Amino acid sequence: MARSGKATVIGAGFYGSTTAQRLAEYDIFAEVVLTDIRDGWSEGLALDLNSSRPVEGFETTVVGKTTTVDGGGYEVIADSDVVVITAGLPRKPGMSRMDLLEVNAKIVRGVAENIAKYAPNAVIVVVSNPLDEMTRLTQLASGFPPSRVIGQAGMLDTARFTYFVADKLGLPVSGVKTLTLGSHGDTMVPVPSACTVTQDGVTKPLTDVLSRAEIDAIVERVRGGGAEVVALLKTGSAYYAPSAAAAAMVKAVATDSGAVMPVCAWTTGQYGISGVYLGVEAKLGKTGVREVVERPLTADEITQLRAAAEAVRAKSADVAGL
Ligand code: APR
């Protein structure tokens, strides 16, 4: 099998290391690079991951490199096709993602500037929180066109939504399709009108299978899905589902698949919304976002989506100065 291309993950904490593992185990890349400012940490993880290759049966080479905030070591990311930014603090119990804004803005700005310098043609996938604002900041700090900077949130929120519905109905997750749009936070917009359930070969709208109250309860759980994990873990935040979501986006970009995924993308008039990073569906390929895809929404869903856009816009205006 021909392996090609290079994917880099910046930040080798829980999210970054599991993303690198998933990307390496896809066995489609020539090289997966993992970096962190913790001295020796990335090198140690790369050694460990490479040693798993004979057992897992993948040939992608994993390279670990300790970097400094002023760009030391960043030459290792040269010629990356895709770079994932996971650097930054995770939430503690009781914190909102927005509580991370100032501290993570400093980290993400520095990382984005170094990516622009050392991998100027890459597509960047941002996962650090608060997600929508960090995606905008990365685009500003890198100077990349908005189409080459994408945030990961919708894939994760949708995965949680799908799992909660499947679990409630006792169905395989493959029999449930869901969608979330909007922000990765309080103004997340789960879209019941786009959700379907397939039982015994028959596909029905979710609204035919669950009552309004049951759907509302699941929607609330999706909105608080990350916080639910944080509260249980007590230290750190979710990373298995998040890394699965980020890796799927990287794969879609690297393979130029044209897959349509819910991601945080720059809006240019879709749903009447412009000039803000927001959770929407987008077709992904080698150039990043090929196009934002619109679908029919109910009047209530559009109102919620526009409110989400304004909430993110207000916060994103602040990030330029952070
Ligand atoms: N450059 C590279 N790595 C950095 C930098 C930097 N400037 N600053 C911090 N890091 C690294 C830390 O050393 C740590 O290894 O980022 C890593 C973060 O890892 P964790 O603390 O385990 O956090 P994680 O769960 O991986 O979450 C990372 O994703 O979901 C979001 O809210 C979450 O913003 C957080 C990010």
Side-chain angles (χ1 to χ4, degrees):
M1 184 184 135
R3 290 166 199 82
S4 63
K6 175 166 167 179
T8 290
V9 181
I10 311 270
F14 286 110
Y15 200 151
S17 59
T18 45
T19 301
Q21 178 188 350
R22 292 185 192 286
L23 292 174
E25 289 179 356
Y26 284 159
D27 205 16
I28 57 171
F29 295 101
E31 190 173 302
V32 168
V33 174
L34 184 59
T35 77
D36 200 286
I37 51 170
R38 281 195 268 174
D39 188 27
W41 184 258
S42 305
E43 288 85 347
L45 291 180
L47 180 59
D48 198 10
L49 277 166
N50 281 319
S51 303
S52 76
R53 282 166 44 193
V55 185
E56 284 296 324
F58 65 93
E59 297 292 350
T60 297
T61 304
V62 183
V63 175
K65 182 79 182 169
T66 302
T67 54
T68 62
V69 287
D70 58 4
Y74 262 86
E75 61 283 349
V76 75
I77 78 164
D79 301 323
S80 297
D81 300 291
V82 193
V83 179
V84 186
I85 303 181
T86 78
L89 266 54
R91 283 190 279 175
K92 295 192 173 74
M95 281 175 95
S96 85
R97 294 185 179 95
M98 206 49 84
D99 294 332
L100 299 169
L101 183 65
E102 290 205 12
V103 59
N104 281 353
K106 285 195 179 60
I107 294 171
V108 168
R109 174 180 286 283
V111 169
E113 287 170 355
N114 284 318
I115 295 171
K117 194 164 164 197
Y118 290 92
N121 300 315
V123 171
I124 305 179
V125 175
V126 182
V127 311
S128 308
N129 276 312
L131 189 275
D132 308 275
E133 291 75 11
M134 290 305 105
T135 306
R136 174 61 171 155
L137 177 61
T138 296
Q139 189 268 320
L140 288 171
S142 65
F144 283 12
S147 56
R148 275 206 283 130
V149 181
I150 324 165
Q152 188 298 115
M155 283 292 283
L156 166 63
D157 297 328
T158 299
R160 287 182 172 141
F161 196 177
T162 295
Y163 166 63
F164 294 154
V165 171
D167 190 46
K168 169 132 190 107
L169 294 170
L171 289 174
V173 290
S174 58
V176 179
K177 289 211 174 3
T178 67
L179 181 65
T180 67
L181 301 173
S183 80
H184 188 47
D186 294 341
T187 49
M188 185 187 301
V189 184
V191 186
S193 73
C195 302
T196 59
V197 168
T198 304
Q199 273 171 312
D200 305 322
V202 182
T203 300
K204 296 178 190 160
L206 179 65
T207 45
D208 283 7
V209 181
L210 292 177
S211 69
R212 183 79 224 178
E214 287 171 319
I215 293 173
D216 285 350
I218 291 176
V219 159
E220 266 324 290
R221 193 171 176 208
V222 175
R223 282 213 183 92
E228 190 178 340
V229 175
V230 170
L232 288 165
L233 294 180
K234 296 179 188 71
T235 166
S237 57
Y239 52 95
Y240 285 118
S243 62
M249 288 172 61
V250 172
K251 189 179 186 180
V253 170
T255 61
D256 199 27
S257 76
V260 175
M261 297 181 169
V263 300
C264 178
W266 187 247
T267 49
T268 54
Q270 296 80 15
Y271 305 109
I273 300 164
S274 290
V276 65
Y277 268 99
L278 193 67
V280 286
E281 289 170 282
K283 192 177 278 190
L284 302 187
K286 276 243 178 273
T287 53
V289 171
R290 282 195 210 159
E291 64 173 307
V292 172
V293 179
E294 270 185 276
R295 68 162 61 230
L297 295 178
T298 65
D300 180 44
E301 288 161 352
I302 292 204
T303 303
Q304 285 186 52
L305 193 57
R306 290 182 183 155
E310 292 322 307
V312 175
R313 195 191 305 278
K315 277 290 167 195
S316 295
D318 299 343
V319 299
L322 293 175

